[in-house]
């Protein structure tokens, strides 16, 4: 049986007479990727803050594994461009670590070549990998990522989510994603929770993609974006440039269909 990492039951939160969360149930187990989707203002980030103990709910309970270690990637991290901050320093700002530990974390996210760069010179995709390395230094039982590919191009999004699956498989940690990148995330996750202050629907990606509530929130085309995938015989670098590789090492690659793509049923 999968080890339970965190669970919320009947979570409710009201602010200024408006229900932000209403009787929300959620649980995340070890080795599971759970994605919370919903329109802007649906309460996604608030739900995560309640789960992590940053906010206290008005109703309901939260249960966490004793000693739960959490690695968190914020939605946006502003770094003053005039601040002389290097990647190694950023990675160790909130946790002391040896050079070898920092390098190992950067290797795991494919970012060792960024180690000596200034943070101000990083692209969006590079920054997210550095922040992920920073989170991994905590040896987390649970990774929480809030809109992790905001500002990253479509190819970079798919590569980042593929990296998350690899980390999950290697470490056995649980992962919670908050995202609007439905065309990529739905195929990269084990379970989806569709939130609009309450849980509209939840389950496996294909189940949620066909749910009337999901289609009502995101439109009928959302289901096609959610389940489309194909295979490549190449990889990509952090900027989305193709990298040739053997046919035997091609990888699954999910993206939104374009006019030239054949959408599979």
């Amino acid at each position: 049986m999968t080890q339970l990492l965190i669970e919320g039951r009947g979570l409710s939160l009201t602010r200024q007479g408006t229900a932000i969360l209403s009787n929300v149930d959620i649980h995340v187990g070890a080795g599971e990727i759970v994605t919370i989707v919903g329109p802007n203002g649906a309460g996604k980030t608030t739900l995560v803050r309640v789960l992590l103990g940053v906010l206290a709910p008005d109703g309901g309970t939260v249960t966490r594994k004793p000693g739960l270690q959490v690695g968190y990637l914020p939605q946006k991290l502003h770094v003053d461009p005039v601040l002389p901050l290097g990647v190694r320093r950023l990675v160790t700002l909130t946790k002391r670590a040896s050079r070898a530990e920092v390098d190992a974390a950067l290797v795991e996210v494919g970012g060792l070549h960024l180690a000596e760069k200034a943070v101000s010179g990083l692209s969006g995709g590079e920054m997210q990998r550095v922040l992920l390395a920073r989170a991994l230094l905590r040896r987390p039982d649970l990774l929480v990522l809030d809109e992790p590919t905001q500002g990253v191009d479509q190819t970079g999004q798919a590569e980042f989510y593929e990296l998350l699956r690899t980390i999950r498989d290697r470490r056995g940690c649980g992962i919670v994603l908050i995202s609007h990148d439905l065309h990529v995330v739905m195929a990269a996750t084990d379970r989806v929770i569709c939130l609009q202050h309450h849980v509209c629907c939840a389950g496996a990606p294909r189940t949620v993609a066909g749910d009337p509530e999901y289609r009502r929130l995101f439109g009928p085309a959302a289901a096609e974006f959610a389940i489309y995938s194909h295979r490549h015989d190449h990889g990509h670098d952090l900027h989305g440039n193709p990298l040739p590789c053997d046919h035997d090492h091609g990888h699954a690659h999910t993206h939104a269909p374009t006019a030239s793509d054949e959408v599979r049923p």
Side-chain angles (χ1 to χ4, degrees):
M1 182 176 180
T2 300
Q3 181 185 28
L4 183 67
L5 298 178
I6 197 163
E7 180 179 36
R9 287 185 174 273
L11 298 177
S12 298
L13 183 69
T14 300
R15 289 290 183 267
Q16 299 179 335
T18 300
I20 308 300
L21 300 174
S22 179
N23 196 34
V24 174
D25 291 341
I26 181 174
H27 66 276
V28 183
E32 184 178 30
I33 300 179
V34 176
T35 299
I36 304 171
V37 300
N40 289 331
K44 302 184 296 296
T45 299
T46 298
L47 172 58
V48 166
R49 288 175 177 170
V50 169
L51 288 173
L52 298 182
V54 178
L55 293 174
D58 297 326
T61 60
V62 176
T63 303
R64 304 178 190 92
K65 169 193 165 186
L68 180 72
Q69 288 291 317
V70 177
Y72 180 71
L73 269 73
Q75 185 175 101
K76 191 174 291 186
L77 180 66
H78 175 72
V79 178
D80 193 324
V82 302
L83 190 67
L85 182 65
V87 164
R88 290 188 187 278
R89 179 61 180 141
L90 174 62
V91 170
T92 57
L93 272 181
T94 56
K95 181 171 176 59
R96 298 179 69 175
S98 68
R99 186 183 183 93
E101 289 172 325
V102 171
D103 285 354
L106 288 171
V107 166
E108 188 168 2
V109 302
L112 182 60
H113 65 290
L114 304 173
E116 306 304 329
K117 291 190 68 172
V119 171
S120 60
L122 298 179
S123 69
E126 290 171 340
M127 184 64 163
Q128 290 308 95
R129 291 189 183 233
V130 169
L131 291 177
L132 182 56
R134 179 170 173 258
L136 292 177
L137 275 182
R138 302 182 65 87
R139 298 181 181 175
D141 305 301
L142 179 67
L143 272 173
V144 179
L145 304 93
D146 193 347
E147 298 284 0
T149 58
Q150 199 171 52
V152 179
D153 66 25
Q154 189 170 286
T155 298
Q157 291 171 18
E159 294 291 327
F160 188 80
Y161 291 125
E162 186 170 322
L163 172 61
L164 289 181
R165 289 196 300 272
T166 300
I167 290 171
R168 183 274 308 273
D169 293 343
R170 180 185 300 122
R171 291 176 172 251
C173 60
I175 298 178
V176 174
L177 292 167
I178 300 174
S179 185
H180 289 98
D181 302 327
L182 304 180
H183 55 287
V184 176
V185 175
M186 290 285 278
T189 192
D190 300 312
R191 187 157 46 86
V192 178
I193 295 172
C194 186
L195 192 72
Q196 176 64 310
H197 306 299
H198 65 284
V199 176
C200 299
C201 51
R206 285 180 179 270
T207 301
V208 171
D211 191 285
E213 282 296 298
Y214 174 82
R215 291 170 178 261
R216 181 181 64 81
L217 284 175
F218 295 105
E224 294 179 355
F225 277 65
I227 63 176
Y228 177 78
S229 65
H230 68 267
R231 296 190 61 83
H232 278 306
D233 59 359
H234 60 274
H236 301 88
D237 63 19
L238 292 177
H239 304 286
N241 300 313
L243 297 172
C245 64
D246 296 336
H247 287 278
D248 290 343
H249 294 86
H251 60 274
H253 188 81
T254 309
H255 73 96
T258 64
S260 61
D261 291 324
E262 179 184 354
V263 179
R264 302 170 187 169

